[in-house]
Amino acid sequence: DEDLAEAVRVASAVAGQAQACVLRLVAEAERRALAPSLGGTSTATWLAGACRLRPTETPALVRLARRLEAHPPTAAALAAGAVDLDQARVVVRAVDALPVAVRGDVRERAEVWLLERAAAHDATDLANLGRAVLEVVDPEEADRLLGRQLDRSDSRDRTGRHLHILPVPGDP
């Protein structure tokens, strides 16, 4: 029984490695703009036909393939079989969703922190962790950003508020 369980884990890791390979090739096809010469209107439509995938899922694969180029730790984890495709997608989305003001080193720490958690969490749990990743990897920056958001919100709340006192009809 333990041998079977280990074989399933190994096969899952190999599947992740194969998916990483496909994504690297898709990113290269996208970079070269190969789809029109291969009969597709886009890389996503070409990929759907070439690999018999659902046309509804290929745009997300092409997006992930492009985004993984900007996320080497996640690409490496996928290639090593340490994360699956859904976990990789969640990590990339979480890091990309960080505010623009977040420094590059903080983004890298967030990505690594999420990848470390992927060993014990599925993609759904990882997405929940991703929503709070800034508070974990840089609580001071999270507080500063929250303070700015609250200041902007407070400023917006005050803008356009006026008190108008009108005479009451029939009052002398």
Side-chain angles (χ1 to χ4, degrees):
D1 290 343
E2 189 56 40
D3 289 343
L4 178 59
E6 180 60 21
V8 169
R9 284 190 289 273
V10 169
S12 179
V14 169
Q17 292 170 333
Q19 290 170 328
C21 180
V22 168
L23 290 173
R24 281 192 306 272
L25 295 170
V26 167
E28 184 61 25
E30 176 79 353
R31 220 179 352 272
R32 293 183 187 186
L34 289 180
S37 66
L38 299 172
T41 57
S42 68
T43 303
T45 58
W46 165 76
L47 183 61
C51 297
R52 296 174 310 282
L53 298 172
R54 287 188 210 133
T56 55
E57 67 187 45
T58 54
L61 286 173
V62 173
R63 277 192 305 276
L64 181 59
R66 283 193 310 252
R67 293 305 307 139
L68 280 173
E69 294 180 321
H71 295 274
T74 302
L78 184 60
V83 297
D84 65 27
L85 193 62
D86 288 336
Q87 289 173 311
R89 186 177 288 120
V90 163
V91 170
V92 167
R93 281 185 186 152
V95 174
D96 286 352
L98 291 171
V100 175
V102 174
R103 299 181 323 270
D105 64 311
V106 174
R107 289 175 179 283
E108 290 171 17
R109 286 199 323 260
E111 185 171 3
V112 168
W113 186 85
L114 286 167
L115 290 169
E116 289 168 351
R117 299 315 163 283
H121 298 280
D122 64 20
T124 301
D125 291 343
L126 209 53
N128 290 330
L129 292 169
R131 285 190 272 284
V133 70
L134 186 58
E135 287 83 0
V136 174
V137 298
D138 195 345
E140 292 172 4
E141 179 66 13
D143 286 347
R144 276 192 297 279
L145 289 170
L146 180 59
R148 283 188 225 140
Q149 288 173 346
L150 291 172
D151 288 345
R152 282 193 303 273
S153 176
D154 190 43
S155 176
R156 278 193 306 269
D157 288 347
R158 291 182 196 173
T159 303
R161 287 189 184 174
H162 303 286
L163 176 63
H164 297 279
I165 300 177
L166 302 172
V168 176
D171 210 16

